[in-house]
């Protein structure tokens, strides 16, 4: 759970998750939305992957990233336990 909150603590990573809500994207497509270096985007993607918030699949010469909705649902359920 700590790795999830660490990943969510950064605005760029939250914006990446927002992009992946709409559709699956390659790292290059994700980088096009930001004014930061591609190695920085790769670092953010790595943190999101380690937190299991996103998954990746090799398609040809590209790696396509997608949102892991199962983890997001688990986090939401955990947060909702505090509402009681």
């Amino acid at each position: 759970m700590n790795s999830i909150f660490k990943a969510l603590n950064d605005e760029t990573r939250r914006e990446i998750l927002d992009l992946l809500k709409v559709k699956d994207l390659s790292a290059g497509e994700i980088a096009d939305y930001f004014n930061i270096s591609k190695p920085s985007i790769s670092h953010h993607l790595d943190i999101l992957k380690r937190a299991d918030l996103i998954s990746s699949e090799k398609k040809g010469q590209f790696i396509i990233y997608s949102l892991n909705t199962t983890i997001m649902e688990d986090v939401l359920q955990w947060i909702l336990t505090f509402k009681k």
Side-chain angles (χ1 to χ4, degrees):
M1 191 70 78
N2 288 340
S3 63
I4 293 170
F5 286 110
K6 177 185 175 187
L8 294 173
N9 190 43
D10 183 86
E11 182 178 353
T12 300
R13 291 190 286 272
R14 291 191 305 269
E15 289 176 21
I16 291 170
L17 293 173
D18 282 337
L19 290 172
L20 294 175
K21 274 192 313 191
V22 178
K23 66 178 183 175
D24 298 347
L25 298 166
S26 69
E29 291 171 321
I30 293 168
D32 289 342
Y33 286 91
F34 297 94
N35 192 22
I36 59 177
S37 70
K38 288 185 180 184
S40 292
I41 291 294
S42 292
H43 175 70
H44 288 298
L45 291 170
D46 184 55
I47 290 171
L48 290 168
K49 276 185 67 174
R50 281 190 273 133
D52 209 22
L53 291 168
I54 64 172
S55 60
S56 62
E57 181 181 344
K58 183 130 172 102
K59 291 189 180 176
Q61 66 186 42
F62 298 101
I63 297 175
I64 305 300
Y65 294 91
S66 58
L67 187 64
N68 185 350
T69 55
T70 304
I71 292 295
M72 297 303 278
E73 290 171 5
D74 291 346
V75 170
L76 180 60
Q77 289 300 318
W78 181 77
I79 290 171
L80 289 175
T81 63
F82 292 99
K83 186 177 178 183
K84 296 179 180 179

